[in-house]
Amino acid sequence: MWFSRRIRPIGATTASAAVFAMTLAGCSDEGAPDPGGAPPDQAGATSAAAAPGRTPSPTRSYALSEEPATIPSVRAHQAARGPGWSRTGDSGVVVAKGSEALSDEGRLLAQELKLTYRGAVAARAGDVELALAGDGAAESYTLTTGGGRVRITGPDEAGVFYGTRTLKQAVRSGGSMPEGVVRDRPDRPQRGLNLDIARKHFTAGWIEDRLREMADLKLNQLGLHFSDDQAFRIQSDSHPEVVSEQHLTKDEVRRILALADRLHITVFGEIDSPGHLGAVLRAHPQLQLRNTQGVPRQGAIDISQPDAARIVDDLLREYTALFPGAWFHVGADEYQALTVSNPAASYPQLAQAARQKYGAGATIEDLAEGWLNDRAAVVREARKTPKAWNDGFFSGGKVTADKGIEVEYWTGKEIGARQPEEYLAEGRRVVNLNDEFLYYVLGEPNQFTYPTGRRIYEQWTPLVLRGTEAVPEKYSAQILGGRFAVWCDLANAQTQDQVAAGIRRPLQATAQKLWDPRQPERSWQSFEQLAQKLG
């Protein structure tokens, strides 16, 4: 707004002129002060040191700021009037005294924004300051822009890190961080990507690139499915005979884990059993499950043999020690003994083992459920939470899966399929990997089609666990989050680069829907334009 012309009295001090100019800069139509009133030279005012008798130029009145353009979008932005924050030649990144633990976050942001990292020193004009402060929810943060500075605070390092992702994206999408206050936090605690490196070898560098993309999207989990019928892809010291020629060394895995830790991403492994063990069984054919005619079942281990549990537990102990995160996945899906019309007739050794272990009337399903519980117990010995696929949980038998195992819900197409509500009604915690929306299966076999970001963005939510129907809202708290999954059934259908390009938009859409539960305000077209701008 413009004010009537005023003549400064002869002899007025430079300081009083400066106060006058800043007062004009801080005025708004509502009469509220600008929380980040810009210095006169930024606001377009004539220098306060003008010669006596000169008339100062009127200052610019800023429109209310707009929400920063980011993926995922921020949950709340309090608009303000002011120029926002832009990089200058003197800008730097600092951490508050007592928040030196944020040095990694500060150095990374300084590198990305081409600023100087100055460490634990007082912030000055143009700086970005990081601080551990507040008692908000885990992974939450507050980003305040005013007075030519940015201050990012959070109760934990992850929250402050996510604030730096918001700043980085705002600068990339709009050239500056808008004036005002962002208060942000995730809707779901588990948000991530699941990657099948067993059927297709991915290099360590490629995985590290995905971690960097995930971090900018505020995703915090990477699941590595590294053992299957086709290959076993991580170096083993306990059973080197099972490892495939193309694999990740443990040093490469540690490098991946170190980067993930800096980016606040938890990486966990999966050794799927009692199915999907073909690579292990090639080295130990005596453990292969065979029917009464001696015909082997692909990938299935004979869980009636004590040595079957011993080798799988050896591997579980080795890799729960390698992966430091809070989870480990034990699989439990698609055990081929249970896909025939009469399992007890085809595999009498399994039926007998079930009765011996669990009493008269016990079934092969009980034996498989007991196998799941036993493998989960090994994971818990390592002080980790076990995960398992939903089709490894059975009902109505003598043995019930432990309630502490997280259900990774992916399908409702298996024999005896159960609705998601059944798992939730039992009080189980569930993670969403709905194969209708979140499965990127190379080569599109078995009626799979490559998922699109638009369909996820417009139709999927964490409550849509199976097909296209959402479970009742009352179960929301039990749904811990979700992961977008890459499966390499036809491994040569796409190159590594094609996979990276193909999953980029769906992964961005998944990140949006896991961070903010509300219907997105942006249209898909606007979201895609923003995604292209962010690169």
Side-chain angles (χ1 to χ4, degrees):
M1 67 178 67
W2 296 91
F3 288 79
S4 60
R5 180 175 177 175
R6 295 175 184 266
I7 304 298
R8 180 158 53 111
I10 295 175
T13 64
T14 297
S16 63
V19 170
F20 175 70
M22 292 182 72
T23 300
L24 292 181
C27 289
S28 71
D29 294 338
E30 290 81 10
D34 179 349
D41 59 337
Q42 286 183 312
T46 301
S47 170
R54 295 283 298 275
T55 304
S57 299
T59 57
R60 187 167 64 211
S61 176
Y62 293 98
L64 281 172
S65 60
E66 295 185 355
E67 179 179 299
T70 63
I71 297 175
S73 58
V74 300
R75 300 282 295 273
H77 175 248
Q78 180 181 335
R81 298 183 189 276
W85 178 88
S86 299
R87 294 171 290 191
T88 71
D90 296 327
S91 295
V93 178
V94 302
V95 297
K97 292 291 181 65
S99 298
E100 288 83 0
L102 296 170
S103 60
D104 281 349
E105 289 77 9
R107 287 190 178 92
L108 177 60
L109 181 66
Q111 176 186 352
E112 292 170 328
L113 297 185
K114 296 180 172 58
L115 303 175
T116 301
Y117 176 70
R118 297 204 308 276
V121 299
R124 62 193 187 192
D127 280 353
V128 177
E129 182 182 36
L130 310 182
L132 291 169
D135 56 358
E139 300 183 295
S140 66
Y141 68 92
T142 300
L143 188 157
T144 304
T145 307
R149 300 180 186 178
V150 172
R151 178 175 167 84
I152 302 173
T153 63
D156 55 26
E157 294 175 40
V160 175
F161 176 70
Y162 294 143
T164 68
R165 302 305 87 195
T166 293
L167 177 60
K168 175 186 175 182
Q169 287 197 30
V171 170
R172 181 171 290 181
S173 64
S176 64
M177 183 68 209
E179 200 86 1
V181 180
V182 169
R183 293 183 176 86
D184 204 10
R185 61 180 176 82
D187 182 50
R188 305 285 159 170
Q190 296 188 32
R191 311 174 303 279
L193 172 67
N194 209 72
L195 183 61
D196 172 12
I197 65 171
R199 294 179 178 93
K200 183 180 182 69
H201 176 65
F202 291 92
T203 64
W206 188 92
I207 295 171
E208 289 169 334
D209 286 343
R210 304 290 76 71
L211 288 171
R212 295 184 184 97
E213 290 181 2
M214 291 170 63
D216 280 356
L217 296 173
K218 303 183 176 78
L219 297 172
N220 65 1
Q221 274 190 349
L222 174 64
L224 293 180
H225 177 91
F226 64 89
S227 168
D228 211 303
D229 296 344
Q230 292 78 3
F232 192 103
R233 298 284 189 185
I234 295 179
Q235 173 189 346
S236 174
D237 299 318
S238 68
H239 288 280
E241 74 279 2
V242 307
V243 179
S244 302
E245 181 178 357
Q246 277 192 312
H247 65 272
L248 298 174
T249 67
K250 285 191 173 179
D251 283 344
E252 286 177 316
V253 172
R254 292 186 185 104
R255 193 180 82 196
I256 290 168
L257 293 169
L259 175 62
D261 184 62
R262 293 195 297 274
L263 299 176
H264 299 278
I265 296 171
T266 298
V267 183
F268 61 86
E270 177 191 353
I271 296 178
D272 201 348
S273 77
H276 295 281
L277 280 172
V280 172
L281 292 170
R282 277 195 293 277
H284 296 273
Q286 74 279 7
L287 298 178
Q288 180 105 39
L289 178 66
R290 298 175 183 273
N291 66 14
T292 52
Q293 284 77 43
V295 178
R297 290 307 302 262
Q298 180 180 357
I301 200 167
D302 187 342
I303 59 178
S304 69
Q305 297 191 46
D307 283 345
R310 275 194 283 270
I311 190 170
V312 172
D313 289 350
D314 286 347
L315 294 169
L316 286 173
R317 291 188 177 100
E318 178 176 5
Y319 293 102
T320 52
L322 177 63
F323 289 89
W327 300 273
F328 202 87
H329 206 303
V330 298
D333 64 312
E334 297 182 319
Y335 188 44
Q336 295 299 308
L338 297 173
T339 63
V340 298
S341 58
N342 189 337
S346 295
Y347 305 101
Q349 74 274 32
L350 298 182
Q352 181 180 0
R355 291 190 296 270
Q356 287 176 342
K357 189 168 186 178
Y358 299 112
T363 66
I364 296 176
E365 285 188 347
D366 291 314
L367 190 67
E369 203 81 307
W371 173 277
L372 169 60
N373 285 339
D374 291 344
R375 307 296 75 76
V378 174
V379 170
R380 278 195 295 273
E381 287 173 6
R383 299 184 179 180
K384 299 181 189 298
T385 299
K387 291 175 172 286
W389 299 112
N390 68 283
D391 51 326
F393 293 76
F394 307 109
S395 63
K398 285 180 168 288
V399 183
T400 301
D402 188 277
K403 291 290 183 65
I405 305 170
E406 291 181 0
V407 180
E408 303 259 302
Y409 198 98
W410 72 281
T411 187
K413 303 181 179 74
E414 76 278 10
I415 296 173
R418 300 164 63 201
Q419 291 290 338
E421 290 93 327
E422 292 189 38
Y423 302 84
L424 295 164
E426 293 172 358
R428 299 187 184 276
R429 297 178 300 167
V430 177
V431 179
N432 192 325
L433 289 95
N434 184 339
D435 65 350
E436 175 78 18
F437 288 92
L438 305 179
Y439 262 37
Y440 191 95
V441 185
L442 296 199
E444 301 182 304
N446 302 320
Q447 299 182 322
F448 281 108
T449 58
Y450 292 129
T452 66
R454 179 170 190 165
R455 189 160 182 253
I456 295 168
Y457 188 77
E458 294 180 343
Q459 299 179 29
W460 179 81
T461 76
L463 272 63
V464 180
L465 285 163
R466 174 181 177 176
T468 59
E469 296 296 320
V471 298
E473 179 69 29
K474 67 180 181 179
Y475 294 122
S476 182
Q478 292 172 238
I479 301 173
L480 303 176
R483 295 194 308 283
F484 186 82
V486 177
W487 297 103
C488 303
D489 292 39
L490 300 176
N492 296 324
Q494 289 190 341
T495 65
Q496 287 189 131
D497 288 344
Q498 288 172 325
V499 173
I503 69 174
R504 185 165 294 124
R505 205 69 79 232
L507 193 61
Q508 290 167 327
T510 303
Q512 172 65 42
K513 302 304 283 287
L514 288 168
W515 187 267
D516 190 339
R518 299 169 298 183
Q519 183 68 24
E521 292 184 1
R522 289 183 181 275
S523 67
W524 169 251
Q525 290 76 13
S526 175
F527 182 88
E528 191 162 38
Q529 289 170 2
L530 174 59
Q532 290 170 351
K533 184 178 292 187
L534 292 173

